[in-house]
Amino acid sequence: MNAGRGIVWSWALFLPLAVFLLLMMSSAQVYAEVPNAVPPKGDHKGEDVPQPIEFPHDIHAKINEINCMYCHTYARRSKVAGIPPTSKCMGCHSVIATDKPRIQKLTEYWEKREPPPWNKVHDVPDYVHFTHEKHLKRFVFDNEELPVERVSEVCAFCHGEVKNMTVAHKVKPLTMGFCVRCHEANKGPSDCWKCHK
Amino acid sequence: MSGNEINRRDFLKVMGWSGAGVALAGCDMPTTVTLEEGKEKVTSYVLPEEYVIPGVGVYYASTCQQCPAGCGIHGRVREGRFLKVEGNPDAPLNHGKVCQMGQAGVQGHYNPDRITKPLIRKGGALVEASWDEAMDLIKQNVGAESTLKGERFAWVTGTVSGHQAVLLQSHLDAMGSTNHFAHEIVNNAVSQAVNREMLGEAQPAYRIDEARLIVSFGADLLGASQSPVHFTTQYAKFREAPRGVLVQVESKMTLTGANADLWLAVRPGTEGVLALGLANALLVKHKRDAADLPADVRDVIAKYDHDTVQRITGVAGDRIVKVAAWLNSQSPSLVLAGGSAEGQAHGYDTAAAVMLLNIILGNIGRTIVSSGDLPFAQMEAKSGNTAGLLALADTLDKGGLDAVFVYNTNPVYTAPSHLNLAEKLSAVPFKVVFAQFPDETAMRADVVLPIHSPYEDWGTHVAGYYGNQISIQQPLMEPLNPTTRGFGDLLLGMLKMRGVAGYADFEDYYGYIRQAVAALPAEMKADAGSEDKYWQQVLQRGLIPVQRKPRSLTAKAIAVSLPDYAQDSEYPYHLVPSPRLGMWDGRYANIPWLQEAPDQISKVVWDSWAEMHPLTAQKLGVMEGDVIKITSDQGAIEAAVYIYKGIHPDAIAVPLGQGHEKEFSRYAKDRGVNPLKILSPVREAKTGELALYGTRVKLAKAGRNEALVKLGGTDQQMGRKLVATVTADVFRRTEGGQDVA
Amino acid sequence: MSLKNILENWSNYRRDREAGGHHEYEHMWGMAIDLNKCIGCNACAVACYAENNLAIVGKEKMTKKQGMHWMRIERYWGEPDLDKLSQSSSQYQEHGANFLPMMCQQCNAATCEPVCPVAATFHTPDGLNAQVYNRCIGSRYCSNNCPYRLRYFNFYSYYESSWPAPLHLQLNPDLSVRDKGVMEKCTFCIQRIRVAKDKARMEDRVEKEAAVIKVGDSTFRAAAGRGKLEDMEFQTACQQTCPTGAIVFGDMLNPESQVRKLWDGHQVSLGKTKQTKQNPEKRGYRVFEALNTDPCVMYMERVREV
């Protein structure tokens, strides 16, 4: 093989790659701050998932700085994070922003004693055993350098920056490769039966 | 790459590289794998449920309703769905254990053939109706304004106890009727009658765990018995070092027989003779003290010497000698009669002959002890039997009933053809069946009321055997179908409909039970603190322990009279219609797990079969799978034969369970035969019970082969060490108890 | 088995049992079944159907031996040992039946593992013989190679025929419903193991140090950070329901576990093809041990008075 041509080719490949990597690193800087953790790599452009009520995560998590686990209270105790019960919404919204159409719609559901029929955005296949509680323990509760107030940065590993979204979008692939690479980087278990059920 | 040295390990590494690379790429492509967004709904709670964390199973205590034993259970519930039954470790009845029928209850609950809407007979056919329509009809026919006369009303049920029994009795009283026919195929009514006469208590407790030797005459303790799991947990203790000895005497091997140290095949119906023969050997050969026995009893025993017993029973002499020697040396012992021994025309005398052995051996008060009386007598179990079925048929014969309510029993299926029960029942003007499934009886009703499954309903129960607690049945989940109702709620409604005083204030059955628990004596709640805390405690434990008041048992020996064995040239064989753990009396043919669970003995699945001794098979010229015709004086059934040495050559056994009508269940449809149908009209002489094992039959080849569908291949170990066996001496040497033996 | 793992720990994957096995073990789940107590009642088998989403195949497919009974009770009539002792060539089955609860023996030298072309069945750090359904391509080599015949193949899709609505609501969400073309078998209730291990981890019950643990004549390297589980903290479905308590399950690496005490008490050791017992009358044995499968299930001989 001609060595010279090889070099030319690789430079041609390297330049855009270098630019791309730099861009990636700058966009990933938010995550890089989480101590004792290597955030998973990979992105996904999720479809729009219409919800019965356009729930603004940004107002709750960014403007009002409500901790993710205030509403998703099961995340630290169960494999699932859980959607908050309607009563929790009404705890605030029986007095706050009651004039807003979205809240009025919520109140309608509440009065009918029906939960809003939310559509799932983040879903792993049924054969996957994924537990929120152990991941939170590893990255938040056992991580002395990360105060629990910053839990959203860990949530963002798999859910993206939800605090900048209205309704959540899937922005991470949540594929096996995505999981496995993170497990490798963070010394998670690699046995198939840890996750396949 | 030429010129590069590459060793094998490096090569593998490279292979690893590329292999892993491909695998990773494959995993990153969300194509065939369902990584969906927005395809599924996620439902939150409106109000958070206490104790409940999504994704984590919660266990609620309740009481199993699969058979009358009343074991304590824990139901696993996740996200509002009831998923699995486990035993309740706090229940002294079953110590956290459950049998296969208990495990399978969940498939009754979610059964696709459940009745979900009320049905009313219109123009000959049952059609769906509203609850209002159904209740209006009931009000017209049996309400306070109706013209129905008290004694012309009847309840037909399985075993009922607890507050359901209390309300049911109140309803009967309100109707002015005494007709409560309680019916179960698996019962020990004959033994209870014998116990009542000889011991002064119908259902004493058997201390299987204390016995060193058990000789069981047809009592299938571990299988179809009063409390299979309770007996089995006791059996486990019995088998620990120094290890008790179990002898089973019967003409078809039951599950208990399959676990016996010595299984004795006896000519059907001669169990009592063998019992007297053993008594004879104890008195004559082993010189047991017989001074306390009345002279007439001693005279009867004296007639059954070694040779006579050998001739009548067909049991080899050396086996009789051996069992007698064991009975003499192993103390305490326990001798029991059941199933096939009781279910004869002379079943009472057989069971009495067996009880004589206990008296001679001094077992009364040692391994047979008083169960005592429940302080709340009205809650005591009303145990079903076959006399209840026969009494119902007799009453119907006389045209004595205008309205019948049926709950938790299926007499149209279990009644022999000679009773013509389906026809007689059809002649009753108004029949209401409280049903979960469209069984044979429900399909003949005028009104079918769809009731909750036992896992959706409230109830209290007192077990007929070992009723040392009031067991609580609480709903494990919301009703699967919003249109079913609780049995207790319906009973309460019937009482209100008759305007019975004292019930109007209860909004529902839950309220009634709560009030009943609140009314319990204060000393039972001493450590709870408050009424509410006590109720929570009761729900958590699933039971309320009660102290039964023990009696002192008598040991009254009575003279028995047993027939000699009679040959029948036309019908030379004996039919053994065997109930078993699994299908029970046929009620579980609609549960697919139990259909696919093999019979413990023959390992047959999804069908009926006929068990036959190799000698009989040789005589008839049949091989396994050949279909035979079994004919009694009441009709004939056909089944493929299973040939083995666990049955007497004069007996032919057909298990209960199959032969249902097609409406009952997709899983039972067009499957097998029901041997109960061809039973002869033989009654147990003293109790009036149906002699379930008293039918003689003749056998003929049907001329075709239908290979039996069985689990596994060979019956033999072929020299492989699969199940190895050691003698009890070795066991005692290595695991203790040698000195005791 | 990730790439980095393969590169760094390659030699570990090729380590023989004699050298401590091919894992840093977390547990070594084992079982002991007392045939003196087992009455063959079938409760365990139905409990297994309920727990593990086992499909009902129906009569016709049972004819072809396609039943999915991960736990089955085999029943044998012949009993050569006793016939010799009691000289009873009776015309009756005088000593009853011989029942044998048979499920995956979780062999430490499993014959199914090396023949899988896609590594869908492999040994886990829990000493279990795992079956990963997503990986399985249905070659059925494993079941052909299993001397115990306890791997079950999904010749059909059963999710519609076996669980018509609303029966499907009973399905246990903790494990998959297997589809056509996939092999399955007893997992020692991996979903229960997983819950218990997760719980231990959440409660910081972990062994900080690595260790070398001797089980009988075998040596196992135990990993640091493995969960510290109480004996009987959880039970398998069959064990939990067994009315006689004939089934004992637990961690062989835990010297205090009931199962380990039973193995030691009956002088049965892992890693052997023939047991050398000090007292040959002890009842413990392993089925087909001579085939060098090294099963993790020990049986205790049935007992009869003769």
Side-chain angles (χ1 to χ4, degrees):
Chain A
M1 192 183 273
N2 186 315
R5 269 183 72 181
I7 292 164
V8 173
W9 269 109
S10 38
W11 269 107
L13 273 171
F14 180 72
L15 251 159
L17 192 69
V19 175
F20 176 72
L21 281 174
L22 275 170
L23 280 170
M24 282 286 293
M25 280 158 76
S26 60
S27 73
Q29 249 174 9
V30 187
Y31 315 140
E33 287 171 15
V34 174
N36 305 320
V38 184
K41 296 183 185 69
D43 288 293
H44 174 82
K45 197 171 162 357
E47 293 167 30
D48 280 346
V49 179
Q51 299 289 2
I53 299 171
E54 291 299 298
F55 180 84
H57 273 100
D58 50 354
I59 298 179
H60 291 82
K62 191 176 192 177
I63 299 175
N64 290 308
E65 293 181 357
I66 299 171
N67 191 297
C68 303
M69 290 190 300
Y70 178 77
C71 296
H72 299 287
T73 170
Y74 300 117
R76 64 179 183 274
R77 293 185 282 161
S78 171
K79 60 173 98 172
V80 298
I83 302 293
T86 322
S87 61
K88 186 154 240 163
C89 311
M90 293 309 291
C92 297
H93 285 296
S94 53
V95 286
I96 297 172
T98 49
D99 55 331
K100 301 278 164 48
R102 286 192 290 224
I103 301 305
Q104 282 162 355
K105 202 168 173 192
L106 173 74
T107 312
E108 269 175 46
Y109 280 115
W110 169 247
E111 279 164 0
K112 281 190 288 184
R113 287 291 183 266
E114 269 174 27
W118 302 111
N119 292 307
K120 245 186 194 175
V121 176
H122 295 97
D123 193 8
V124 290
D126 288 348
Y127 50 75
V128 174
H129 168 77
F130 173 85
T131 100
H132 278 87
E133 57 174 354
K134 277 176 79 182
H135 287 87
L136 280 179
K137 185 172 165 60
R138 160 70 179 80
F139 290 114
V140 183
F141 299 115
D142 282 358
N143 190 351
E144 280 167 15
E145 292 164 51
L146 186 85
V148 74
E149 289 73 24
R150 286 173 57 195
V151 66
S152 68
E153 293 167 36
V154 172
C155 300
F157 285 0
C158 302
H159 297 290
E161 286 199 76
V162 176
K163 63 163 75 166
N164 289 332
M165 302 177 194
T166 50
V167 171
H169 273 255
K170 191 170 152 184
V171 296
K172 298 287 169 182
L174 304 189
T175 53
M176 180 169 148
F178 177 80
C179 297
V180 168
R181 283 194 295 271
C182 186
H183 272 229
E184 275 179 14
N186 293 291
K187 302 208 178 341
S190 60
D191 174 34
C192 308
W193 250 6
K194 275 283 186 316
C195 309
H196 279 271
K197 64 180 191 184
Chain B
M1 275 199 187
S2 61
N4 279 358
E5 277 294 313
I6 184 162
N7 66 26
R8 189 167 170 274
R9 173 169 270 186
D10 286 340
F11 179 70
L12 282 170
K13 273 186 184 171
V14 174
M15 288 294 284
W17 259 110
S18 59
V22 170
L24 287 173
C27 293
D28 265 328
M29 283 190 288
T31 48
T32 52
V33 179
T34 51
L35 289 168
E36 301 164 328
E37 298 156 60
K39 299 289 191 317
E40 281 184 15
K41 291 269 183 280
V42 49
T43 312
S44 68
Y45 282 104
V46 175
L47 285 162
E49 192 83 20
E50 243 180 304
Y51 315 118
V52 172
I53 298 174
V56 179
V58 204
Y59 291 82
Y60 293 99
S62 192
T63 300
C64 185
Q65 287 302 294
Q66 294 289 92
C67 84
C71 295
I73 55 168
H74 279 171
R76 180 181 181 224
V77 180
R78 242 191 80 174
E79 281 94 55
R81 278 190 296 141
F82 159 48
L83 297 178
K84 190 164 185 300
V85 174
E86 306 288 1
N88 176 358
D90 294 334
L93 186 79
N94 55 310
H95 298 285
K97 302 301 186 182
V98 211
C99 72
Q100 56 170 324
M101 300 191 303
Q103 285 288 350
V106 62
Q107 281 208 325
H109 170 71
Y110 289 117
N111 201 288
D113 296 315
R114 259 182 81 176
I115 304 177
T116 56
K117 300 243 171 63
L119 305 173
I120 286 178
R121 190 166 298 280
K122 276 185 185 156
L126 282 171
V127 292
E128 283 187 2
S130 70
W131 272 99
D132 286 347
E133 276 178 275
M135 295 313 271
D136 281 349
L137 258 178
I138 291 173
K139 199 166 184 179
Q140 273 169 38
N141 284 278
V142 303
E145 315 289 306
S146 71
T147 55
L148 182 72
K149 285 204 190 66
E151 279 301 330
R152 300 190 65 79
F153 170 82
W155 268 102
V156 183
T157 68
T159 297
V160 282
S161 67
H163 289 103
Q164 294 81 258
V166 174
L167 288 194
L168 203 140
Q169 189 55 48
S170 293
H171 185 245
L172 274 170
D173 293 345
M175 298 296 292
S177 168
T178 55
N179 292 320
H180 180 189
F181 305 106
H183 166 54
E184 298 276 353
I185 284 289
V186 180
N187 67 68
N188 67 338
V190 174
S191 271
Q192 288 198 18
V194 170
N195 293 342
R196 211 175 286 126
E197 182 177 3
M198 297 176 73
L199 309 177
E201 184 173 281
Q203 187 58 79
Y206 307 126
R207 295 306 304 266
I208 293 169
D209 50 339
E210 301 269 311
R212 294 277 295 113
L213 167 71
I214 295 172
V215 181
S216 156
F217 292 82
D220 187 10
L221 299 166
L222 310 178
S225 69
Q226 276 56 59
S227 201
V229 180
H230 179 73
F231 290 139
T232 306
T233 53
Q234 287 204 332
Y235 168 88
K237 287 208 190 94
F238 166 78
R239 286 304 206 191
E240 279 167 11
R243 192 179 184 276
V245 182
L246 173 64
V247 178
Q248 185 84 3
V249 181
E250 57 198 4
S251 39
K252 171 248 174 315
M253 187 179 280
T254 57
L255 184 59
T256 315
N259 288 287
D261 293 275
L262 181 60
W263 183 81
L264 290 179
V266 68
R267 191 172 277 145
T270 64
E271 291 88 347
V273 172
L274 184 60
L276 292 179
L278 291 171
N280 185 297
L282 284 171
L283 299 188
V284 177
K285 186 167 176 227
H286 296 288
K287 312 266 186 276
R288 295 293 282 231
D289 180 21
D292 290 345
L293 291 181
D296 56 345
V297 175
R298 271 180 287 165
D299 290 347
V300 173
I301 292 175
K303 281 198 288 185
Y304 291 94
D305 59 67
H306 183 85
D307 293 345
T308 311
V309 173
Q310 204 177 333
R311 174 180 59 79
I312 298 176
T313 62
V315 176
D318 58 337
R319 303 295 192 275
I320 302 174
V321 170
K322 187 178 205 170
V323 176
W326 273 343
L327 278 171
N328 187 49
S329 64
Q330 304 290 316
S331 182
S333 58
L334 175 61
V335 194
L336 293 168
S340 52
E342 299 181 358
Q344 306 283 349
H346 51 279
Y348 189 95
D349 288 75
T350 301
V354 169
M355 192 52 76
L356 276 178
L357 277 173
N358 283 314
I359 292 175
I360 293 169
L361 293 163
N363 294 335
I364 317 294
R366 297 180 74 191
T367 51
I368 299 181
V369 296
S370 169
S371 294
D373 295 316
L374 193 71
F376 318 101
Q378 71 281 12
M379 291 176 73
E380 199 82 90
K382 174 137 175 121
S383 295
N385 50 36
T386 51
L389 177 72
L390 298 175
L392 169 67
D394 286 347
T395 314
L396 290 171
D397 262 342
K398 295 179 199 127
L401 294 175
D402 289 335
V404 177
F405 281 15
V406 185
Y407 166 65
N408 201 18
T409 185
N410 183 10
V412 175
Y413 171 79
T414 50
S417 304
H418 71 258
L419 290 178
N420 279 326
L421 200 79
E423 220 172 278
K424 287 173 195 165
L425 207 58
S426 299
V428 176
F430 190 63
K431 308 162 290 289
V432 180
V433 178
F434 300 73
Q436 274 192 79
F437 306 109
D439 62 27
E440 286 78 356
T441 308
M443 291 317 286
R444 284 167 176 80
D446 299 298
V447 178
V448 180
L449 300 179
I451 54 170
H452 287 342
S453 86
Y455 311 100
E456 300 163 336
D457 210 354
W458 286 98
T460 59
H461 304 272
V462 176
Y465 185 88
Y466 198 85
N468 293 1
Q469 63 280 311
I470 299 169
S471 307
I472 305 292
Q473 177 194 351
Q474 67 170 316
L476 303 175
M477 66 181 276
E478 289 283 309
L480 196 57
N481 303 292
T483 44
T484 60
R485 290 190 185 175
F487 177 66
D489 289 330
L490 288 167
L491 260 181
L492 207 56
M494 303 286 164
L495 283 162
K496 288 181 188 171
M497 188 188 281
R498 295 292 300 197
V500 184
Y503 292 103
D505 294 342
F506 298 112
E507 199 178 312
D508 53 18
Y509 191 47
Y510 164 76
Y512 176 81
I513 291 179
R514 273 241 42 191
Q515 187 275 333
V517 170
L520 286 173
E523 66 263 23
M524 289 173 73
K525 310 169 186 169
D527 51 346
S530 75
E531 197 60 57
D532 274 347
K533 277 192 190 141
Y534 181 68
W535 176 245
Q536 291 308 326
Q537 217 177 67
V538 165
L539 290 186
Q540 268 176 32
R541 288 184 75 178
L543 58 95
I544 302 170
V546 286
Q547 202 65 48
R548 296 179 78 100
K549 206 169 138 241
R551 305 184 194 190
S552 59
L553 296 182
T554 57
K556 182 179 150 204
I558 57 169
V560 300
S561 131
L562 291 167
D564 204 344
Y565 184 77
Q567 300 287 351
D568 184 326
S569 54
E570 194 187 353
Y571 297 105
Y573 297 96
H574 297 259
L575 178 68
V576 180
S578 44
R580 63 184 176 98
L581 209 54
M583 290 288 123
W584 203 243
D585 56 5
R587 69 182 71 170
Y588 298 126
N590 62 345
I591 292 186
W593 286 341
L594 295 179
Q595 284 278 11
E596 196 143 310
D599 171 53
Q600 293 90 345
I601 305 297
S602 68
K603 293 289 160 192
V604 176
V605 294
W606 289 102
D607 210 343
S608 290
W609 66 96
E611 289 170 24
M612 184 184 273
H613 193 275
L615 290 175
T616 316
Q618 203 176 23
K619 205 150 82 182
L620 287 170
V622 292
M623 306 215 295
E624 181 176 303
D626 282 350
V627 178
I628 53 162
K629 188 174 181 185
I630 304 166
T631 311
S632 77
D633 57 0
Q634 299 298 319
I637 50 175
E638 290 188 343
V641 295
Y642 175 71
I643 299 164
Y644 75 131
K645 297 201 292 184
I647 186 165
H648 192 277
D650 291 346
I652 182 94
V654 182
L656 302 187
Q658 312 289 3
H660 279 276
E661 289 179 0
K662 66 176 189 301
E663 290 83 1
F664 177 48
S665 166
R666 66 191 72 189
Y667 299 109
K669 199 169 75 176
D670 304 323
R671 209 173 284 294
V673 293
N674 179 3
L676 293 171
K677 287 294 155 202
I678 63 165
L679 292 191
S680 300
V682 185
R683 306 274 192 276
E684 200 290 312
K686 290 190 177 140
T687 56
E689 288 285 316
L690 187 64
L692 281 172
Y693 299 81
T695 299
R696 309 288 289 243
V697 291
K698 61 184 173 193
L699 305 177
K701 275 208 276 197
R704 61 179 196 282
N705 185 293
E706 288 169 8
L708 287 177
V709 183
K710 289 190 299 180
L711 176 121
T714 172
D715 283 343
Q716 302 302 323
Q717 301 196 41
M718 315 269 189
R720 300 165 295 176
K721 190 175 180 179
L722 293 166
V723 184
T725 305
V726 293
T727 60
D729 303 346
V730 174
F731 175 82
R732 292 189 187 112
R733 265 203 298 279
T734 57
E735 287 169 56
Q738 198 182 3
D739 44 332
V740 187
Chain C
M1 205 194 272
S2 72
L3 175 60
K4 195 156 160 261
N5 203 354
I6 292 174
L7 290 175
E8 285 177 2
N9 303 312
W10 178 248
S11 52
N12 280 350
Y13 286 96
R14 299 167 57 76
R15 193 184 287 252
D16 288 333
R17 269 187 303 120
E18 292 75 12
H22 42 231
H23 277 297
E24 300 282 332
Y25 284 95
E26 291 181 30
H27 305 276
M28 170 68 65
W29 301 111
M31 211 176 245
I33 301 180
D34 190 348
L35 300 180
N36 176 41
K37 284 188 176 167
C38 173
I39 59 164
C41 70
N42 227 13
C44 52
V46 177
C48 185
Y49 270 79
E51 174 72 20
N52 289 307
N53 300 341
L54 302 191
I56 291 295
V57 302
K59 183 178 173 182
E60 188 203 341
K61 296 193 178 80
M62 285 299 280
T63 319
K64 298 174 191 158
K65 312 282 181 206
Q66 291 172 356
M68 307 300 281
H69 32 67
W70 287 6
M71 163 62 107
R72 60 173 193 246
I73 307 282
E74 298 177 355
R75 186 266 302 113
Y76 297 99
W77 291 126
E79 44 179 7
D81 319 321
L82 268 200
D83 283 349
K84 260 180 278 160
L85 283 164
S86 64
Q87 285 138 23
S88 71
S89 51
S90 160
Q91 62 166 324
Y92 296 118
Q93 194 65 39
E94 279 203 314
H95 299 292
N98 301 255
F99 294 115
L100 183 70
M102 193 29 100
M103 80 308 284
C104 176
Q105 306 282 298
Q106 309 291 355
C107 306
N108 276 352
T111 50
C112 51
E113 288 170 13
V115 295
C116 179
V118 293
T121 180
F122 64 96
H123 229 64
T124 75
D126 274 13
L128 293 174
N129 175 251
Q131 177 74 21
V132 177
Y133 309 123
N134 294 77
R135 237 182 150 127
C136 177
I137 56 166
S139 74
R140 291 182 277 144
Y141 292 171
C142 55
S143 80
N144 281 330
N145 224 30
C146 172
Y148 306 95
R149 282 286 174 269
L150 28 73
R151 292 182 147 264
Y152 304 97
F153 187 65
N154 287 275
F155 283 97
Y156 302 89
S157 285
Y158 294 111
Y159 49 83
E160 278 173 353
S161 62
S162 183
W163 296 279
L167 265 183
H168 69 291
L169 293 176
Q170 184 274 329
L171 289 168
N172 186 352
D174 292 344
L175 71 161
S176 314
V177 176
R178 284 75 59 186
D179 204 346
K180 183 175 183 167
V182 169
M183 191 62 72
E184 60 180 67
K185 55 143 203 113
C186 164
T187 64
F188 270 4
C189 286
I190 177 66
Q191 65 282 4
R192 293 184 176 206
I193 296 177
R194 211 177 261 137
V195 166
K197 285 177 71 174
D198 283 358
K199 186 157 177 276
R201 197 59 59 92
M202 289 305 290
E203 292 168 1
D204 289 319
R205 285 185 278 138
V206 289
E207 300 278 5
K208 300 247 166 14
E209 306 294 327
V212 175
I213 298 175
K214 226 169 134 43
V215 181
D217 291 352
S218 276
T219 310
F220 298 98
R221 291 177 299 124
R226 64 192 186 278
K228 206 192 287 180
L229 273 71
E230 298 290 317
D231 189 33
M232 296 290 279
E233 184 173 328
F234 71 98
Q235 302 178 59
T236 61
C238 51
Q239 173 193 24
Q240 190 165 4
T241 207
C242 177
T244 58
I247 303 174
V248 176
F249 167 86
D251 188 355
M252 300 286 289
L253 298 187
N254 175 1
E256 294 307 309
S257 70
Q258 279 188 48
V259 68
R260 173 73 181 281
K261 283 180 179 163
L262 279 168
W263 279 61
D264 290 350
H266 283 272
Q267 298 168 358
V268 175
S269 168
L270 282 167
K272 284 188 168 181
T273 52
K274 193 173 188 332
Q275 300 295 337
T276 42
K277 295 187 180 190
Q278 278 179 306
N279 180 356
E281 289 196 329
K282 293 278 187 179
R283 293 189 295 135
Y285 69 102
R286 297 187 295 171
V287 172
F288 296 162
E289 183 174 63
L291 300 179
N292 192 21
T293 49
D294 202 10
C296 280
V297 179
M298 177 189 79
Y299 293 89
M300 287 167 265
E301 289 166 335
R302 172 178 174 265
V303 184
R304 283 296 183 266
E305 197 85 37
V306 286

